[in-house]
Amino acid sequence: MVHKNAERRLTGPRRRLAVAGGTAVLLALSACGGSVGGGGDTAAADQEPLKIGFLAPITGPAAPEGIAMQQGFDLAIEDINADGGVFGQPVEVVFIDDQADPATATQAAQRMVQQEQVDYIFGTITDDTTIAAANVAAQAGVPMSQAIATALDFCSPHFWPFGETPTQLLTDLVPQMVEQFGPNVALVGNDYVFPRTYHEVARQLVEEAGGTVVAEEYSPLGTSDWQPVITKLADSDPDWILSAVVGGDAVSFVKQADQFGLLEGRGLTGVSVDQQFYPALGELLDGRTQTVRYGDQVQTEANAAFVEAYQEAYDTQAPISGVAGNAYVGMRFIAEAFERAGSKDADAVSEQMGRLEYEGLTGTVRFDATDHVIEAPMFLTTIDGGAYTVEEELGVVPDEQTKDCA
Amino acid sequence: MDSLVSFVLSTANLFGFYALLALGLGLVFGQLGVVNVAHGDLVMVGAYVMYALTPVPFPLRVLLAVLLAVVLGLAAEWAILRRLYSRGMLATLLAMWGLGIVLRQLAEAIFGATPRSVEAPIEGSTVVLGTPFPTYRLVVTGVSLAVVVLALLVVYRTSLGLKLRASIANRDMAAVLGIPPRLMIAGTFAVGTLLAVLAGALQSPTLGLTPGMGVAFLAPAFFAVLVGRLGSLTGPIVGAFVVALLSSLLRRYLTETVAELLFFAALVVLIAARPAGLSWRLPSWSTRTRNVA
């Protein structure tokens, strides 16, 4: 069922995309300027095609994010192949749905490295499944990347996460919210690693900005009735709410918070106001502030072409979610690293991953070669009728981590 | 006082929702011997019907959802379950599991995985004993509980209900007495489906709609059925009340994760200690007709 579904996505309207995709590639290339090119021809010509293992939870509680990532990833593969592939051959993809379940992700990753013998693993969404897959990949010496905002503390010479770190997302957002709404902050989220780390970082930034955390509540993934949480939050009378509630829960939480009057005169930001929730929450999000790394309103030539290709491929006018943009840029980045390495050797590729400066859709993307933290410009946006309008270019937000992954 | 009122109202709201779910699940289990693991996905169907038909006025949409539920229930019973009863509970459970997956994938193919939402037909709050509470929730609570009462009246006070109970108690004997078993079975499954879809349609304005949303509702409904006496039709409703009250109480005083842990632990203990379900002294008007049956 799932596989059938995935195939359907790759064909159908996608065929018509060939021309638009080609244009996008040309535009992307011209925008990339000097950073692209070179490399490639040093490769031995007898290479097998590059094989990427793609893990995404397109069913289960993280499906909205999983499918968005898949859409960005598919477009990247299409554009890479339209552009001649890697080592002069089309890139092959092995896709497995991990259902946001660590056990499934482990099995899937094992199958990818043992049976399919992939050269690189891309995915997945929730941090626990990513760690599960990353452990398998690290043991097998296969390099891996993920693409969504992450609080992973995982470190390996071959692990290159494209997701935004909590520090990058919150450093500018928190002081802005304290200034705009006031010092009293309520933190709410689903109960797993990312929201807790996100809020740990937030708490520090709130205190640095002279604010106070007046409530902190977590509810398991898949919670539909948020009334008890909303009552607790309302009792603490915050000036604004930082929400790391994700998936369908985010919509339930924000809708119910509105119905119980919690949002009246209060600020709301965090992961719950991300682009993928706009179609459901609409005007409840208008006027609110959010930091993004990828946004469809960021004005670059490459992004304009990507937005057009994306909207046509998936027949949508909804805001394109950050993880889709990250996945697109991430996969193109990886393909470029392989070209430059000139081989599929993990060490050679990882060396290039740490060295490459790639002109992505919204600015230059690179990794810190020591701590593997991604460095790319961030944007402060205001949500206005579905457009995440850029208010301020924040540049690269530093996130100094002490780990040494190399 | 303030928080007590809002506690009572939100518990009643949850009870109304769970009672509709548990009644449908209990009916299907009692009459068909089928553990309907697609029950939660039927809630999802109800919610997505409300989303898909957004331009239609709200009450009419609920009616359309209910009609669709009857068609869906009859079709599923006819196409899937009919041949499987003789193969035992595992076969029907797996078939329903499959149906659930099909419904989720169908919803995803049609609507995508991006969360959706449904506008509430009534905005704003009503002040109840000095406490503001969302008006729509009050209305839904009333409607849900009214449907439950109506269903109980039909089951215990009409000849149709008598036939239903007779058929549950001993289908062969009931058939000998002229109660058509096929009709009772198909009808019960359609009603069970209807109740789940109705619950989903009514709650849709308070929920984030995703194809997988229904999975979360199966566990509380299932526990509600287990807590009540199996095969009894008031049982699931009593069970729903226990589940709603327990969940509200725990979540009010504890952190969410601890509350959920204790909630499931308490229910497991309860069921382990009383595997036949809690025994309640039933009102005499219900036991009277039972004896006749």
Side-chain angles (χ1 to χ4, degrees):
Chain A
M1 188 87 213
V2 167
H3 287 277
K4 219 172 170 182
N5 224 342
E7 272 167 28
R8 183 187 54 73
R9 255 187 214 97
L10 287 169
T11 55
R14 305 290 302 279
R15 292 250 183 258
R16 277 179 272 125
L17 186 69
V19 178
T23 319
V25 171
L26 285 179
L27 285 171
L29 279 177
S30 61
C32 291
S35 71
V36 174
D41 43 9
T42 60
D46 59 340
Q47 297 273 13
E48 296 264 300
L50 180 66
K51 205 169 181 184
I52 308 285
F54 181 57
L55 267 176
I58 65 162
T59 57
E65 290 86 352
I67 287 171
M69 175 169 75
Q70 186 186 40
Q71 294 181 336
F73 178 87
D74 284 353
L75 275 186
I77 294 290
E78 196 160 295
D79 286 356
I80 291 164
N81 287 344
D83 188 30
V86 175
F87 308 141
Q89 301 186 65
V91 176
E92 288 180 6
V93 176
V94 178
F95 166 67
I96 301 180
D97 178 6
D98 68 69
Q99 301 166 3
D101 171 47
T104 312
T106 306
Q107 276 177 3
Q110 275 165 351
R111 203 181 107 193
M112 283 175 175
V113 299
Q114 287 165 6
Q115 278 157 277
E116 305 285 353
Q117 310 231 313
V118 300
D119 304 304
Y120 206 104
I121 294 180
F122 198 97
T124 165
I125 296 294
T126 56
D127 281 347
D128 48 356
T129 52
T130 307
I131 286 208
N135 275 316
V136 175
Q139 271 168 21
V142 174
M144 174 169 168
S145 287
Q146 57 83 267
I148 197 164
T150 176
L152 275 177
D153 198 21
F154 186 84
C155 208
S156 127
H158 301 316
F159 186 67
W160 303 94
F162 284 95
E164 303 89 344
T165 66
T167 305
Q168 291 171 340
L169 288 170
L170 291 168
T171 301
D172 295 270
L173 185 62
V174 167
Q176 163 85 18
M177 291 297 287
V178 169
E179 194 187 338
Q180 193 180 344
F181 291 98
N184 297 321
V185 188
L187 309 178
V188 59
N190 284 116
D191 200 359
Y192 68 100
V193 187
F194 176 75
R196 286 191 178 264
T197 316
Y198 184 79
H199 284 158
E200 207 175 291
V201 173
R203 184 180 277 274
Q204 247 178 32
L205 289 166
V206 166
E207 281 159 14
E208 277 168 26
T212 320
V213 173
V214 293
E216 185 168 357
E217 293 291 335
Y218 297 94
S219 205
L221 265 177
T223 299
S224 55
D225 174 28
W226 287 87
Q227 200 264 335
V229 173
I230 289 165
T231 307
K232 288 175 194 167
L233 296 183
D235 287 346
S236 71
D237 194 19
D239 297 317
W240 59 281
I241 298 150
L242 183 69
S243 169
V245 179
V246 301
D249 291 12
V251 176
S252 300
F253 169 70
V254 175
K255 283 209 79 170
Q256 292 174 25
D258 173 59
Q259 286 161 359
F260 279 99
L262 180 67
L263 300 182
E264 249 165 71
R266 291 192 175 101
L268 169 75
T269 188
V271 186
S272 304
V273 309
D274 273 353
Q275 293 105 325
Q276 64 263 32
F277 304 119
Y278 191 86
L281 292 171
E283 58 186 22
L284 290 177
L285 299 189
D286 280 336
R288 303 198 185 275
T289 307
Q290 173 69 319
T291 330
V292 301
R293 187 166 83 219
Y294 177 76
D296 51 20
Q297 300 297 313
V298 178
Q299 304 296 327
T300 67
E301 237 176 289
N303 197 24
F306 173 76
V307 170
E308 198 190 327
Y310 191 96
Q311 289 176 340
E312 193 184 319
Y314 304 111
D315 191 22
T316 174
Q317 292 298 316
I320 300 174
S321 80
V323 63
N326 288 354
Y328 179 86
V329 173
M331 191 53 234
R332 306 258 358 213
F333 187 109
I334 293 163
E336 180 61 21
F338 270 102
E339 281 285 2
R340 290 189 175 215
S343 88
K344 300 197 288 189
D345 176 62
D347 291 325
V349 172
S350 280
E351 197 189 325
Q352 293 301 328
M353 291 294 290
R355 220 186 261 173
L356 183 58
E357 293 205 359
Y358 182 77
E359 198 59 38
L361 297 172
T362 57
T364 308
V365 183
R366 61 181 295 274
F367 280 101
D368 183 310
T370 311
D371 59 22
H372 291 201
V373 171
I374 189 160
E375 293 171 358
M378 304 289 295
F379 302 88
L380 192 69
T381 64
T382 301
I383 307 166
D384 176 19
Y388 285 58
T389 312
V390 177
E391 293 290 327
E392 195 184 337
E393 298 187 10
L394 303 170
V396 173
V397 179
D399 181 3
E400 298 301 334
Q401 299 191 5
T402 49
K403 58 190 183 185
D404 183 357
C405 305
Chain B
M1 183 66 198
D2 200 43
S3 60
L4 182 71
V5 173
S6 87
F7 174 76
V8 170
L9 291 176
S10 52
T11 307
N13 180 256
L14 203 58
F15 168 51
F17 183 41
Y18 287 170
L20 284 181
L21 289 185
L23 185 61
L25 200 62
L27 265 174
V28 168
F29 181 74
Q31 175 70 278
L32 286 73
V34 169
V35 180
N36 187 4
V37 285
H39 209 63
D41 300 301
L42 296 171
V43 175
M44 178 274 292
V45 170
Y48 268 101
V49 171
M50 299 303 282
Y51 168 74
L53 303 178
T54 299
V56 181
F58 198 88
L60 192 59
R61 252 186 293 164
V62 176
L63 199 68
L64 287 172
V66 164
L67 288 176
L68 178 87
V70 172
V71 174
L72 179 69
L74 290 174
E77 200 279 333
W78 187 80
I80 305 170
L81 288 175
R82 196 167 49 119
R83 297 180 188 83
L84 294 176
Y85 296 122
S86 55
R87 302 240 196 116
M89 196 186 274
L90 188 62
T92 53
L93 186 142
L94 287 176
M96 287 296 99
W97 193 35
L99 177 68
I101 295 174
V102 169
L103 290 175
R104 286 199 289 279
Q105 293 285 335
L106 212 59
E108 197 186 301
I110 301 172
F111 302 103
T114 310
R116 306 288 170 180
S117 68
V118 176
E119 282 293 311
I122 311 163
E123 299 287 336
S125 302
T126 302
V127 177
V128 182
L129 299 173
T131 307
F133 199 81
T135 311
Y136 180 73
R137 283 193 178 227
L138 290 174
V139 174
V140 164
T141 308
V143 172
S144 303
L145 294 178
V147 170
V148 169
V149 169
L150 186 73
L152 283 184
L153 283 177
V154 169
V155 167
Y156 287 109
R157 303 302 273 174
T158 66
S159 70
L160 178 68
L162 185 65
K163 286 175 186 163
L164 178 73
R165 284 178 292 126
S167 177
I168 289 177
N170 188 333
R171 191 182 298 149
D172 295 340
M173 181 61 83
V176 170
L177 295 174
I179 299 170
R182 283 287 322 138
L183 193 68
M184 296 312 290
I185 290 170
T188 306
F189 193 76
V191 170
T193 308
L194 180 157
L195 288 171
V197 169
L198 176 68
L202 289 175
Q203 290 290 334
S204 62
T206 68
L207 298 172
L209 276 54
T210 59
M213 66 185 280
V215 178
F217 304 126
L218 188 62
F222 200 64
F223 275 115
V225 173
L226 287 177
V227 167
R229 206 153 37 79
L230 287 180
S232 114
L233 294 178
T234 41
I237 293 160
V238 174
F241 182 70
V242 172
V243 169
L245 187 65
L246 188 64
S247 161
S248 297
L249 271 177
L250 288 171
R251 293 181 71 189
R252 181 175 151 98
Y253 294 108
L254 300 169
T255 65
E256 291 282 303
T257 309
V258 175
E260 175 147 305
L261 181 80
L262 287 181
F263 171 71
F264 286 116
L267 289 172
V268 168
V269 168
L270 199 62
I271 288 160
R274 303 299 297 268
L278 301 178
S279 205
W280 304 84
R281 191 182 291 275
L282 295 170
S284 61
W285 56 265
S286 72
T287 46
R288 195 172 58 230
T289 37
R290 175 189 306 275
N291 293 338
V292 176

